[in-house]
Amino acid sequence: MNVVSRYFPIFAVTVLGGTDLVVGVSRSTAMVLVALTTPIFGALADQHNKRKTSLVIFTIACCVITAFLSTVNNLIVELVLFCLAIYCFQSALVFYNALLPAVAPSGKMGYVSGLGVSLGYVGSITGLFVVAVLSSKTFSPYIWTAILFLFFSLPVFIWVKDMPRENIKVDGGKGSQYHKGLIISLKRARQIPGVIRFLIGRFFIVEAMETVILFMAVFLIKGAGFKGMASNNFGIDEVTIYLIVVTSSTIIGSYIWGMLTQKYGPKKMLLLAVILWFISLSGMVMTSGKSFLYLWGSIAGIALGGVWTSDRPLLINLIGDTARLGEFFGLYALSGRLAAVIGPLIWGLVIFFGEPFGDIKYKFAIEALFLMMVIGFIILRKVPDAR
């Protein structure tokens, strides 16, 4: 929330002289690397039952790199650090997601997933508020974010354990199996009804969501007239207040979505979350004014939590085999990270070519995201309702 949504895009665009497009390219590069490597890392973690170890390594690396952001007043160097920090963070998420069955019984995965997403956004609000206050005297949001990230990761490092089971052997010879890991994983996924369709449909949904996450602060300041500088002694500006309000709706929505997912199943709740995205994005295009943006943002916040809460249990239910969760969540990351490559590039290109139209170019960009959501919804409708 602090690095990707709040501070870095604005810092790169307004201070270092970058553009929406170069920020999007930096994030997209990280996502390409994640997409190419995490299925292989996931298979390795499955074989050696080392999901937690991988999570710890990538998390610590992300914290270290984050702390160095903005230490060099050079656009290229900062974009490279931004890219590396995102790569480590997103790689860590693969193993975090694969640990869900280790902390939740099979009958409670929807509920625990929703609880995890909800508490995660409590962390987002805490981070926004605390970092804004701590950075109000000396502008160092990245160092404070890195410290908080590491501190709140300690409970996972200490208490969460991998699932107690025998090591899984990955097919193929040692010399070639990991080089061909992605192809092998895709072939396995094709053998399970609905998995490939789920990954493709999710691609379009996440494409829009990741773009909103990346460019929300830029949109608020340059497209909606929000103030990015604090007018009080606490370091809390209009953008931060907006993100806190929207994230509060995500917390509530995620928790409720977890219970509803448990009752009605992950597929139905995933589709409902996408419908809420339709409403939110349509509202942003058709209306103007800060008050309406708070309404549409809050609906988007609920929808965001709904997607994160319901899509993981749906994939786990489709797979039906905990032995290869790291491998399949590598493909899950492949789908989402490739989406995070395309989405920011589309946004950046729309803004670039829409420059002659003034601020309305941001509504053009939102319409492009709406179209991606529609495509994803159509594809997901035919995914089996695995329970």
Side-chain angles (χ1 to χ4, degrees):
M1 180 67 80
N2 273 316
V3 176
V4 176
S5 296
R6 175 61 190 92
Y7 290 107
F8 188 83
I10 289 296
F11 173 68
V13 171
T14 62
V15 177
L16 299 180
T19 64
D20 290 35
L21 186 57
V22 298
V23 174
V25 168
S26 177
R27 180 175 172 84
S28 296
T29 301
M31 294 306 188
V32 168
L33 295 174
V34 172
L36 293 175
T37 59
T38 49
I40 300 173
F41 289 157
L44 280 167
D46 283 340
Q47 184 190 43
H48 301 290
N49 202 24
K50 295 292 184 181
R51 300 180 185 91
K52 178 184 168 181
T53 302
S54 302
L55 171 64
V56 171
I57 292 171
F58 280 113
T59 300
I60 292 176
C62 180
C63 291
V64 172
I65 297 169
T66 299
F68 281 99
L69 278 172
S70 80
T71 56
V72 180
N73 196 27
N74 180 281
L75 178 62
I76 301 300
V77 174
E78 293 296 334
L79 289 173
V80 170
L81 291 174
F82 182 59
C83 174
L84 292 174
I86 291 175
Y87 173 79
C88 292
F89 176 78
Q90 297 292 343
S91 296
L93 279 183
V94 173
F95 305 102
Y96 173 81
N97 289 331
L99 284 171
L100 177 59
V103 297
S106 59
K108 291 288 186 179
M109 277 193 291
Y111 172 77
V112 175
S113 179
L115 184 62
V117 174
S118 179
L119 290 175
Y121 283 106
V122 171
S124 295
I125 289 183
T126 303
L128 280 169
F129 180 78
V130 174
V131 169
V133 172
L134 293 174
S135 301
S136 59
K137 304 301 180 183
T138 58
F139 187 75
S140 53
Y142 307 107
I143 293 176
W144 287 117
T145 297
I147 292 172
L148 287 172
F149 186 12
L150 182 60
F151 176 76
F152 285 110
S153 297
L154 293 179
V156 173
F157 294 175
I158 296 171
W159 287 297
V160 174
K161 302 182 184 302
D162 270 305
M163 287 171 287
R165 61 174 182 78
E166 297 297 324
N167 290 346
I168 299 297
K169 294 183 179 179
V170 180
D171 297 337
K174 289 185 177 180
S176 62
Q177 61 189 13
Y178 303 129
H179 176 70
K180 299 178 180 178
L182 176 57
I183 296 175
I184 294 173
S185 296
L186 286 171
K187 287 181 178 179
R188 290 197 186 102
R190 288 181 60 188
Q191 297 172 3
I192 304 175
V195 170
I196 294 295
R197 178 175 285 274
F198 165 81
L199 294 173
I200 294 173
R202 183 179 181 273
F203 167 86
F204 289 98
I205 302 302
V206 175
E207 179 182 19
M209 295 198 314
E210 291 282 4
T211 306
V212 170
I213 291 170
L214 178 60
F215 288 114
M216 178 57 71
V218 176
F219 167 71
L220 291 174
I221 292 175
K222 303 187 74 174
F226 279 66
K227 295 179 181 179
M229 299 297 293
S231 58
N232 53 65
N233 295 327
F234 296 101
I236 308 296
D237 54 78
E238 280 190 331
V239 174
T240 301
I241 292 172
Y242 181 87
L243 292 176
I244 288 175
V245 171
V246 170
T247 305
S248 298
S249 70
T250 307
I251 294 170
I252 298 170
S254 300
Y255 184 76
I256 295 174
W257 227 263
M259 293 186 290
L260 294 176
T261 298
Q262 204 62 52
K263 183 175 181 179
Y264 297 107
K267 179 190 172 180
K268 291 179 181 178
M269 297 312 300
L270 178 58
L271 293 177
L272 181 58
V274 178
I275 292 174
L276 289 184
W277 271 112
F278 292 163
I279 297 172
S280 174
L281 295 176
S282 298
M284 290 182 184
V285 171
M286 294 187 294
T287 61
S288 300
K290 294 181 181 179
S291 298
F292 279 114
L293 275 178
Y294 274 98
L295 171 62
W296 307 131
S298 296
I299 293 175
I302 295 172
L304 180 68
V307 172
W308 295 146
T309 297
S310 54
D311 70 345
R312 291 180 297 182
L314 178 55
L315 177 59
I316 292 172
N317 289 353
L318 286 170
I319 296 168
D321 178 12
T322 59
R324 293 194 178 275
L325 283 181
E327 179 180 3
F328 281 104
F329 270 107
L331 294 178
Y332 172 94
L334 172 66
S335 169
R337 295 354 168 204
L338 285 178
V341 171
I342 305 299
L345 291 180
I346 290 176
W347 177 283
L349 289 171
V350 171
I351 297 300
F352 178 79
F353 289 109
E355 194 65 38
F357 298 95
D359 291 344
I360 198 174
K361 62 181 179 286
Y362 287 101
K363 294 200 173 185
F364 293 158
I366 292 173
E367 288 173 350
L369 302 185
F370 179 87
L371 179 61
M372 296 302 103
M373 284 282 183
V374 171
I375 295 173
F377 181 84
I378 293 172
I379 295 173
L380 287 173
R381 284 186 61 199
K382 294 187 178 181
V383 171
D385 190 10
R387 299 295 295 273

